[in-house]
Amino acid sequence: MKIEVWSDFVCPFCYIGKRRLEMALDQFPYRNQVEIVFKSFELDPNVETNDSITIDQAIAQKYGISVEEAKKANQNIIDQAASVGLNYDFSSMSPTNTFKAHRLAKFAEKKGKLMEMTERLLRSHFIESGRIDDTDTLIQLAEEVGLNKDEVKEVLESDQFSNEVRTDEMEAQMLGVRGVPFFVINRKYAISGAQPTEVFTNGLQKAWEEEHLSTKLQPLGSEEAANCTADGCELPDKNEI
């Protein structure tokens, strides 16, 4: 079974949705037969990294509300994150462009470290207020998951893996993805948003049953309808049916 996840590293519901998927997989008896692939998606490709303001201030400016109103609006997200063990810190989180982080994730995927890199980037942004558009920060995070410092530096100082990021984003458009997180199971079932864990559990079970149980032939009638001997079986003569 394959699960493709379109997400962005500054999307608070993407981290929450990732945790809920993981919680569902912890209950899934065939977890070791599930492949997860994270795909690139930029909520706002044009956003400029701005360390001089917080997310609360940025939201207040964008929607013409007070900072206190923005904080109140974000509290629901903080509470949802806490319910899955994530302690979000919006107080020093800043607007951040994620294109560079997505390129790093693509490099990590090539090295077999996509899951570790994805988790580390999300944790850095939402819990540690890390600057995931900063090259030095990204190099440090990459080293922590076992990637080579010099190779990462070379990637980040070039345009490597840009095409791979854009390909994911074009694919999302073709699939009709309008927001993230967006989960696709076996290219047949879609789950949009950070749904409750039971939605993921039901989706996993349904996809598994369809993939593995529906392909089994179900016998109709009696086994005696075929002429079977020690040498094998042959269809009965039509006159015997």
Coordinates of all heavy atoms in Angstrom, one line a residue, residues 50-59 61 92-95 131:
N50 N 10.4 36.6 6.6 CA 10.5 37.9 7.3 C 10.6 37.6 8.8 O 9.6 37.3 9.5 CB 9.2 38.7 7.1 CG 9.3 40.1 7.7 OD1 10.2 40.4 8.5 ND2 8.4 41.0 7.3
D51 N 11.8 37.7 9.3 CA 12.1 37.4 10.7 C 11.7 38.6 11.7 O 11.8 38.4 12.9 CB 13.6 37.1 10.9 CG 14.0 35.8 10.2 OD1 13.1 35.0 10.0 OD2 15.2 35.6 10.0
S52 N 11.3 39.7 11.1 CA 11.1 40.9 11.9 C 9.6 40.8 12.5 O 9.3 41.7 13.4 CB 11.3 42.1 11.1 OG 10.3 42.2 10.1
I53 N 8.8 39.9 12.0 CA 7.4 39.9 12.6 C 7.1 38.4 12.9 O 7.7 37.5 12.4 CB 6.4 40.4 11.6 CG1 6.3 39.6 10.3 CG2 6.6 41.9 11.3 CD1 5.2 40.0 9.4
T54 N 6.1 38.2 13.8 CA 5.7 36.9 14.1 C 4.5 36.5 13.3 O 3.9 37.3 12.5 CB 5.2 36.8 15.6 OG1 4.0 37.6 15.8 CG2 6.3 37.3 16.5
I55 N 4.1 35.2 13.3 CA 3.0 34.7 12.6 C 1.7 35.5 13.0 O 0.9 35.8 12.2 CB 2.8 33.2 12.7 CG1 3.9 32.5 12.0 CG2 1.5 32.7 12.3 CD1 3.9 32.6 10.5
D56 N 1.6 35.7 14.3 CA 0.4 36.4 14.8 C 0.3 37.8 14.2 O -0.8 38.2 13.8 CB 0.4 36.5 16.3 CG 0.3 35.1 17.0 OD1 -0.5 34.3 16.5 OD2 0.9 34.9 18.0
Q57 N 1.4 38.5 14.1 CA 1.5 39.8 13.5 C 1.2 39.8 12.0 O 0.5 40.6 11.5 CB 2.8 40.5 13.8 CG 3.1 40.8 15.3 CD 4.5 41.2 15.5 OE1 5.4 40.8 14.9 NE2 4.7 42.1 16.5
A58 N 1.7 38.8 11.4 CA 1.5 38.6 9.9 C 0.0 38.4 9.6 O -0.5 39.0 8.7 CB 2.3 37.5 9.4
I59 N -0.6 37.5 10.4 CA -2.0 37.2 10.2 C -2.9 38.5 10.5 O -3.8 38.8 9.8 CB -2.5 36.1 11.1 CG1 -1.8 34.8 10.6 CG2 -4.0 35.9 11.1 CD1 -2.1 33.6 11.4
Q61 N -2.0 41.6 10.1 CA -1.8 42.5 9.0 C -2.6 42.0 7.8 O -3.3 42.8 7.1 CB -0.3 42.6 8.6 CG 0.5 43.3 9.7 CD 2.0 43.4 9.3 OE1 2.3 43.0 8.2 NE2 2.8 43.8 10.3
S92 N 7.2 33.2 18.5 CA 8.4 33.6 17.8 C 8.5 33.0 16.4 O 9.6 33.0 15.7 CB 9.7 33.3 18.6 OG 9.8 32.0 18.9
M93 N 7.4 32.4 15.9 CA 7.4 31.8 14.6 C 7.2 32.9 13.5 O 6.3 33.8 13.7 CB 6.2 30.8 14.5 CG 6.2 29.9 13.3 SD 4.7 28.9 13.2 CE 4.8 28.1 14.8
S94 N 7.9 32.9 12.5 CA 7.9 34.0 11.5 C 7.4 33.5 10.1 O 7.6 32.3 9.8 CB 9.2 34.7 11.3 OG 9.7 35.2 12.5
P95 N 6.9 34.4 9.2 CA 6.6 34.0 7.9 C 7.8 33.5 7.2 O 8.9 34.1 7.3 CB 6.1 35.3 7.2 CG 5.6 36.1 8.4 CD 6.5 35.8 9.5
R131 N 14.6 28.7 11.7 CA 14.5 29.5 10.4 C 14.8 28.5 9.3 O 15.9 28.4 8.8 CB 15.5 30.6 10.4 CG 15.3 31.6 11.6 CD 13.9 32.2 11.6 NE 13.7 33.3 12.6 CZ 12.9 33.2 13.6 NH1 12.1 32.1 13.7 NH2 12.7 34.2 14.4

